[in-house]
Amino acid sequence: MKYDKAYFQPAVDYIKSQIGGFEPKLGLILGTGLGGLAAQIEDPIEVSYKDIPNFLVSTAPDHAGKFIFGTLCGKKMMCMSGRFHFYEGYAFEQLVAPVRVMKMMGVERLIVTNAAGAVNTDYAPGDLMMITDHIKMTGASPMCGPNADDFGPRFFDMTRVYDRSMMAVARECAKRAEIKVHEGVYFFFTGPQFETPAEIRAVRVLGGDAVGMSTVTEVLTAAHCGMPVLGFSMISNMAAGILDQPLSGEEVTEIAEKAGPRFSAYLADVIRSL
Ligand code: HPA
């Protein structure tokens, strides 16, 4: 299968038929616990993933499964409430869908967010980390298979995908709000199992500050089509083996939801300032 513009055109046509001429410019993918920000979108128009042809259906718990279009802090947004993960059973190649559809809808820049486990022991649950780079050591990529030349080249640059000018704006916002936003490297695991303590020690040696099971497929797809990205992790837990206790999905969701409002307020200010 070639996931090119012709493949996604029915999805784009359907979405356009639902949103009455609205032209989104900024994409936002909301991670666990960040649903609150979606509620602030003015005049929202929702489009369920399940109604979109040639698209994917969200299966993860706590992920709503819809695009929300509307204005947030003065920006015309295409927001994903609920996202797609490799561990749900999709092939990496299928995971290009959301960002390619965003690109075809006219989205120029992308903000990605997630909940992540802290590998860096200077971090604590509830903290925020701006993603300055990532590491993915699992072999496959969303860009495997025939290249969709109408989105980008076969081989593409990853040195500047986390956009320096957007990061500078985010830094200024943190300074103004007097909140600490760490800057670190997001290390991707496919999941759905959490990592072993030995894997987390390895991540630390390799230079990772936080671990998670999302985001990187979206960032790669954005990089391929030349879309600048700003990324944030909300630290929901210390990664495996740091504390003498097991990890659970419930803990991740609980902490992410508790820290959600503070993160949302900061993110709203970043969106306004971009
Ligand atoms: N590991 C992987 N993914 C995660 C974690 C974690 O510790 N916390 C939230 N998402």
Side-chain angles (χ1 to χ4, degrees):
M1 182 59 73
K2 194 162 177 177
Y3 295 106
D4 57 7
K5 288 193 177 169
Y7 180 84
F8 290 116
Q9 195 60 50
V12 171
D13 290 344
Y14 174 76
I15 292 169
K16 284 189 174 168
S17 78
Q18 301 298 301
I19 63 172
F22 184 80
E23 293 183 347
K25 294 284 173 242
L26 184 59
L28 172 62
I29 303 179
L30 293 168
T32 309
L34 283 170
L37 199 60
Q40 295 179 32
I41 295 177
E42 296 159 37
D43 305 320
I45 305 172
E46 298 185 352
V47 181
S48 289
Y49 301 151
K50 64 177 169 36
D51 297 330
I52 304 174
N54 289 3
F55 204 63
L56 309 171
V57 175
S58 184
T59 67
D62 315 310
H63 286 258
K66 62 193 174 192
F67 284 115
I68 307 172
F69 294 86
T71 304
L72 180 63
C73 305
K75 297 290 191 303
K76 290 186 167 180
M77 309 290 299
M78 179 167 177
C79 179
M80 285 185 82
S81 180
R83 59 142 65 92
F84 306 99
H85 309 80
F86 178 78
Y87 63 72
E88 293 175 77
Y90 303 110
F92 272 111
E93 294 90 308
Q94 291 178 283
L95 295 170
V96 298
V99 173
R100 288 199 173 160
V101 169
M102 282 186 175
K103 178 80 177 177
M104 289 176 71
M105 290 297 302
V107 166
E108 294 164 348
R109 296 186 289 181
L110 178 64
I111 301 178
V112 288
T113 65
N114 58 54
V119 176
N120 188 324
T121 53
D122 292 340
Y123 300 177
D127 285 1
L128 290 184
M129 182 189 91
M130 181 160 77
I131 303 172
T132 56
D133 207 343
H134 76 232
I135 299 174
K136 179 177 93 62
M137 302 198 73
T138 42
S141 158
M143 258 50 69
C144 284
N147 185 53
D149 299 319
D150 47 5
F151 282 105
R154 169 85 293 183
F155 302 106
F156 56 100
D157 182 59
M158 287 298 294
T159 56
R160 298 208 172 170
V161 60
Y162 295 97
D163 185 74
R164 293 176 187 187
S165 62
M166 285 203 278
M167 284 200 277
V169 170
R171 240 173 242 131
E172 275 306 305
C173 292
K175 209 195 260 176
R176 196 160 62 220
E178 296 182 357
I179 61 167
K180 174 74 194 166
V181 177
H182 303 291
E183 298 191 16
V185 173
Y186 181 87
F187 196 106
F188 174 77
F189 279 94
T190 55
Q193 70 283 355
F194 290 114
E195 299 71 32
T196 63
E199 284 168 338
I200 294 304
R201 289 193 298 274
V203 168
R204 190 173 297 121
V205 171
L206 292 170
D209 295 292
V211 280
M213 307 173 193
S214 68
T215 301
V216 165
T217 53
E218 297 142 3
V219 170
L220 290 169
T221 310
H224 181 250
C225 68
M227 189 189 288
V229 175
L230 178 64
F232 294 100
S233 292
M234 186 207 296
I235 302 302
S236 55
N237 58 283
M238 299 311 288
I242 294 178
L243 306 177
D244 189 21
Q245 63 188 47
L247 302 185
S248 76
E250 290 75 28
E251 175 195 359
V252 167
T253 307
E254 187 191 320
I255 300 296
E257 275 170 7
K258 220 183 264 175
R262 200 173 61 96
F263 188 9
S264 294
Y266 168 67
L267 208 52
D269 190 39
V270 172
I271 290 168
R272 191 177 299 111
S273 309
L274 281 176

